[in-house]
Amino acid sequence: MSGAESLIGAVVLVVSLGVAAQLVADWLQIPSVAFLLVAGVLVGPQALDLVDPAIFGQAGLQAIVGLSVGIIVFEGAFHLTVDRVREASREALGLVTIGAFVSLVGTAVAVKVVFGTTWPVAVLVGSLLIATGPTVITPIMQVVPVRDRVAAALETEGIINDVTAAILAVATFEFVIASQSSPVVVIEAFVARLAVGHVVGIAVGGGTALLLKRWHLSADNALQNARVVVLTAALLAYALGSMWLSEAGIAAAAVAGIVLGNAEIPHKEEVAGFKGGITLFVLSFVFIVLAAQLSLGDLRALGVGGLVVVIVVAALVRPLGVFLSTLGGRLTVRERMFVGGMGPRGIVPASVATLFAIELRPENPEAATVLVGTVFLVIFATVMFQGGLARHFAQALDILPMQTLIVGGGRVGRELAVRYESRGEEVVLIDSDEDTVERTRADGHRVVHGDATNATVLEEAGANRASVVVAATADDDVNLLVAQLATTRFDVDTVVARANQPDNVEAFEDLDVETISAGFAVADAIDDAVERPALAHWLSDSGRTGDVLEVELSNDSLVDRTIEETADKLPDGCLVAMVSRNGTDRVPDSDFRLANGDHLTLVCETNEAMQDARRLCQGG
């Protein structure tokens, strides 16, 4: 077989394995990187010997990996919008500064103590393992619906620390291979590459945004042009940055992605979807090729020490860095524990470590073994365990909030959002009016701009994992269609619709959704104010801390207990006001025994007590 045919066969095999790994990962809902790594090792020279990375040549492999990393970093940065960062700006800042520093120092010390390497080599390994990266974090967030502030912190950390790790590792590597250099060269090289990356990235990103806006006015095939131009911009930013100063291209690609992602360019959503598909393709290809180049001898050479370093990095350094960097932030203790347990490493440390090892091995084989062996062992362990167990970990910590979608960002929708969020629920509003969207975002709510009668918009907002959908617009036609989509297409458990005209109530009820007639609701509120003034005042007080909660009993430890016995287990300030069983409501006496599936109406003085009572009744 000729060299060209061998190369074609290797490329086709790698691409096929990459697609298969993506399909299996989607089916099992875990990051595809785990399967890509295993596939690469299996087809590499160490196992089946079907793909030999040497066929690409050293220069060719470096070019392929570099351009691929540029596309991947650009795509991740494209989604790093200002609104996204605001979700967890304080936590993200801590993770990319204090957290990164703790990771660098902690990992370097562990490598130095366990393997006895020189400090420059230990710092080189520590620099690379700062990175987590969107290639492993984003797939986890897609299957683990944590609060936006948690996801935003992790995703922002991954994108920025990818750049930090790559540039710092290159700067450190220059010090490692230059025996007479001063440590100051590391700082100088880091700052220089960061500066070049910003200059090139802003120029390419800004110029591309202007070009797309002008083309949109005259070009007939603007969507196709936009896709091609944005992809070219990613490659151009990386290439220009790298030509100016080696490895500055990663920073340039990231900055260009951020600039374009925050610019108002035509067909932005379609471009993002196209670019995401390209990223999956190059990610699959590069990860398999890099893993095929991995020598199992490097992993065996580390011995027990390698496992010790992995445990220190994942179970000690990462949680410590997260704890210190999130002090005083908005994350709860359990959310901080989850972030501390989510530090999977991705494409940047794998690619850079592989390329460094090739250059380092002839002169210092021991350092090359420690470098590539430690990096890949940490990648394997963190992706397999942290990525694969992420959802179970989040469930054990009870940090998966109820998702509530509210269609309509008017006065009613915003008031509902305030109430639900005060109870600890995750709320997303949807509205098609730009002014309303901006006003609602200014109030601190998460908003999706779009037409909620479009199933794609509902899906983007999270309808496929919502437990409640509220259609609260002033347009009954919109509310009716939203309710229909929520019940038939997304199978949402609870759908509540606002009927502005009494004549339309029957149409809503035909859909079997809970219907609130605006006119009747006002009459009920007036009646409550007259007949039950204290309760009405408490329920309508926007500054209250408590509320009335209805929850289904599923905790076996409370089944067959009396109301008196249950009251002893409920948080202080909570009482059982009503029990609903088989469609019958009753006010229970102290001897009434509860059954599995009973719906308990609880009156709670504080939101904290209400959340604790919910967890107790549901077995949390």
Side-chain angles (χ1 to χ4, degrees):
M1 186 180 293
S2 68
E5 292 173 340
S6 298
L7 182 59
I8 292 173
V11 171
V12 171
L13 178 59
V14 169
V15 170
S16 301
L17 286 173
V19 172
Q22 294 289 349
L23 293 175
V24 173
D26 289 342
W27 177 47
L28 297 177
Q29 293 194 327
I30 62 177
S32 60
V33 176
F35 300 101
L36 297 174
L37 289 172
V38 173
V41 173
L42 287 177
V43 301
Q46 298 291 311
L48 301 177
D49 196 19
L50 298 176
V51 176
D52 185 356
I55 197 173
F56 298 100
Q58 182 173 341
L61 183 61
Q62 288 179 334
I64 292 172
V65 171
L67 290 172
S68 299
V69 170
I71 293 174
I72 292 167
V73 171
F74 179 92
E75 198 270 339
F78 190 84
H79 295 283
L80 192 63
T81 61
V82 173
D83 291 332
R84 188 66 171 156
V85 174
R86 283 175 182 168
E87 293 286 347
S89 55
R90 180 169 181 174
E91 290 79 6
L93 179 62
L95 289 172
V96 301
T97 52
I98 299 173
F101 179 77
V102 171
S103 177
L104 170 64
V105 174
T107 304
V109 170
V111 171
K112 170 66 176 175
V113 172
V114 173
F115 299 124
T117 64
T118 62
W119 275 113
V121 172
V123 173
L124 178 59
V125 176
S127 301
L128 283 173
L129 292 179
I130 288 174
T132 51
T135 57
V136 284
I137 289 297
T138 301
I140 292 175
M141 295 299 97
Q142 289 174 347
V143 298
V144 185
V146 293
R147 295 188 188 283
D148 265 10
R149 63 193 183 203
V150 178
L154 284 168
E155 291 171 353
T156 304
E157 177 200 22
I159 294 166
I160 294 179
N161 278 357
D162 254 6
V163 177
T164 302
I167 296 178
L168 185 59
V170 171
T172 306
F173 186 68
E174 289 188 358
F175 177 73
V176 171
I177 61 177
S179 56
Q180 298 182 348
S181 294
S182 166
V184 179
V185 73
V186 176
I187 300 175
E188 292 176 346
F190 179 82
V191 173
R193 285 169 172 80
L194 201 59
V196 169
H198 275 77
V199 171
V200 173
I202 292 173
V204 172
T208 303
L210 291 175
L211 180 62
L212 286 172
K213 290 178 181 179
R214 290 190 178 183
W215 261 14
H216 183 57
L217 297 176
S218 57
D220 295 330
N221 53 349
L223 173 57
Q224 181 179 349
N225 288 335
R227 289 172 171 173
V228 173
V229 168
V230 170
L231 179 59
T232 304
L235 297 173
L236 182 63
Y238 178 83
L240 290 177
S242 298
M243 290 169 60
W244 190 343
L245 196 58
S246 65
E247 297 305 327
I250 293 181
V255 174
I258 293 174
V259 171
L260 269 173
N262 285 276
E264 292 299 326
I265 61 175
H267 308 292
K268 191 172 184 178
E269 293 183 2
E270 292 85 352
V271 168
F274 169 77
K275 192 162 43 58
I278 296 293
T279 299
L280 286 177
F281 180 85
V282 298
L283 171 67
S284 303
F285 185 87
V286 172
F287 244 123
I288 291 177
V289 172
L290 292 178
Q293 195 165 266
L294 177 65
S295 170
L296 297 181
D298 289 337
L299 299 181
R300 286 194 295 266
L302 299 181
V304 177
L307 296 178
V308 172
V309 171
V310 169
I311 293 173
V312 170
V313 169
L316 181 61
V317 175
R318 172 66 180 180
L320 177 62
V322 171
F323 174 78
L324 294 176
S325 59
T326 55
L327 283 173
R330 296 171 56 203
L331 300 186
T332 66
V333 173
R334 296 184 182 189
E335 289 170 342
R336 293 167 70 191
M337 291 174 63
F338 177 78
V339 175
M342 289 296 108
R345 273 60 175 186
I347 186 67
V348 167
S351 59
V352 177
T354 302
L355 298 179
F356 283 175
I358 294 174
E359 189 172 346
L360 193 60
R361 198 175 296 277
E363 299 294 332
N364 195 341
E366 292 183 1
T369 297
V370 170
L371 171 63
V372 75
T374 303
V375 168
F376 270 92
L377 196 58
V378 170
I379 291 174
F380 266 110
T382 55
V383 168
M384 292 291 189
F385 289 98
Q386 295 180 342
L389 300 176
R391 189 177 186 90
H392 301 288
F393 188 34
Q395 289 173 336
L397 291 173
D398 192 24
I399 61 169
L400 300 180
M402 292 179 63
Q403 174 94 340
T404 299
L405 296 188
I406 301 175
V407 179
R411 189 171 300 175
V412 174
R414 293 199 303 273
E415 174 61 24
L416 287 173
V418 170
R419 297 189 181 201
Y420 293 151
E421 288 171 351
S422 70
R423 300 169 188 165
E425 299 177 15
E426 185 79 357
V427 178
V428 179
L429 292 105
I430 308 174
D431 203 285
S432 58
D433 182 73
E434 290 188 7
D435 293 337
T436 301
V437 168
E438 291 303 319
R439 183 167 58 250
T440 307
R441 281 178 179 162
D443 290 341
H445 304 299
R446 180 187 169 193
V447 191
V448 171
H449 180 213
D451 181 2
T453 61
N454 186 330
T456 303
V457 174
L458 283 176
E459 187 172 4
E460 178 190 347
N464 52 356
R465 60 184 178 88
S467 58
V468 178
V469 170
V470 180
T473 75
D475 188 331
D476 282 357
D477 291 335
V478 171
N479 294 342
L480 188 63
L481 186 51
V482 168
Q484 186 175 23
L485 286 172
T487 54
T488 59
R489 178 158 182 169
F490 296 101
D491 196 25
V492 178
D493 292 336
T494 303
V495 180
V496 181
R498 169 185 174 185
N500 298 279
Q501 300 297 326
D503 294 341
N504 295 333
V505 171
E506 185 176 348
F508 284 96
E509 291 178 343
D510 288 342
L511 290 176
D512 196 25
V513 301
E514 189 69 30
T515 307
I516 305 298
S517 171
F520 295 157
V522 172
D524 288 340
I526 293 173
D527 184 45
D528 287 341
V530 173
E531 299 296 332
R532 295 164 289 277
L535 180 62
H537 176 73
W538 184 66
L539 288 174
S540 63
D541 183 6
S542 60
R544 67 184 185 280
T545 58
D547 212 331
V548 178
L549 166 71
E550 182 177 324
V551 60
E552 182 176 351
L553 181 63
S554 56
N555 187 348
D556 291 339
S557 66
L558 296 181
V559 172
D560 203 36
R561 287 185 178 271
T562 65
I563 292 295
E564 184 176 7
E565 293 170 335
T566 303
D568 293 335
K569 292 184 171 294
L570 288 172
D572 292 340
C574 281
L575 60 86
V576 181
M578 187 169 65
V579 177
S580 302
R581 180 183 298 172
N582 299 326
T584 302
D585 304 328
R586 64 176 296 173
V587 177
D589 56 30
S590 60
D591 296 327
F592 181 85
R593 291 190 177 274
L594 298 175
N596 189 45
D598 282 349
H599 283 252
L600 311 183
T601 299
L602 306 176
V603 179
C604 302
E605 288 184 347
T606 65
N607 287 322
E608 291 77 12
M610 183 174 61
Q611 293 174 27
D612 290 342
R614 185 197 301 275
R615 282 192 288 266
L616 173 66
C617 294
Q618 294 177 338

